[in-house]
Amino acid sequence: QVQLVESGGGLVQPGGSLRLSCAASGRFFSIGTMGWYRQAPGKQRELVAAILSGGSTNYAVSVKGRFTISRDNAKNTVHLQMSSLRPEDTAVYYCNAAFRLYNGASYSGYWGQGTQVTVSS
């Protein structure tokens, strides 16, 4: 019914930059808040950044000033521009979206396979 596909991950040196993208597709009326999460082995999945449909943003303290989240409502995409990357940023990055369905319900329980980001020398 709905699908999220993350892309753009890879191996980058400390201090480098990377841009992640996420495309939402399927049957839904609209999308509310969208966000990026990350999960490292043995750790809980954590919220990295979120962006409301109107463009307001929130960031985790650990990435504020280094990462920028953006979205294109016409294309149903969300992006995460990452700069000044650190080894501790290494994780699988997932996007999430609050889908507004045609039946009036809201659904945010779908996760894609994620994209691996590795920051290492």
Side-chain angles (χ1 to χ4, degrees):
Q1 186 172 351
V2 295
Q3 185 178 32
L4 294 169
V5 180
E6 302 94 342
S7 63
L11 175 64
V12 64
Q13 294 184 337
S17 298
L18 210 57
R19 182 177 174 84
L20 307 183
S21 298
C22 174
S25 62
R27 297 170 57 210
F28 51 86
F29 180 73
S30 63
I31 299 176
T33 300
M34 303 184 80
W36 283 96
Y37 294 73
R38 67 186 181 188
Q39 186 170 26
K43 298 182 179 180
Q44 293 185 335
R45 185 172 299 182
E46 63 175 344
L47 176 66
V48 176
I51 183 167
L52 277 64
S53 60
S56 298
T57 59
N58 287 294
Y59 297 91
V61 173
S62 60
V63 308
K64 194 174 183 65
R66 299 188 297 120
F67 291 9
T68 301
I69 188 171
S70 61
R71 66 188 291 168
D72 187 331
N73 291 334
K75 297 180 179 179
N76 293 322
T77 58
V78 62
H79 307 274
L80 186 67
Q81 179 65 51
M82 306 183 293
S83 61
S84 301
L85 284 164
R86 306 165 180 169
E88 52 263 41
D89 295 319
T90 296
V92 177
Y93 283 70
Y94 303 87
C95 70
N96 185 254
F99 294 98
R100 301 189 189 100
L101 307 180
Y102 288 108
N103 63 6
S106 180
Y107 180 72
S108 59
Y110 185 87
W111 300 92
Q113 293 188 346
T115 184
Q116 176 72 48
V117 172
T118 303
V119 184
S120 176
S121 297

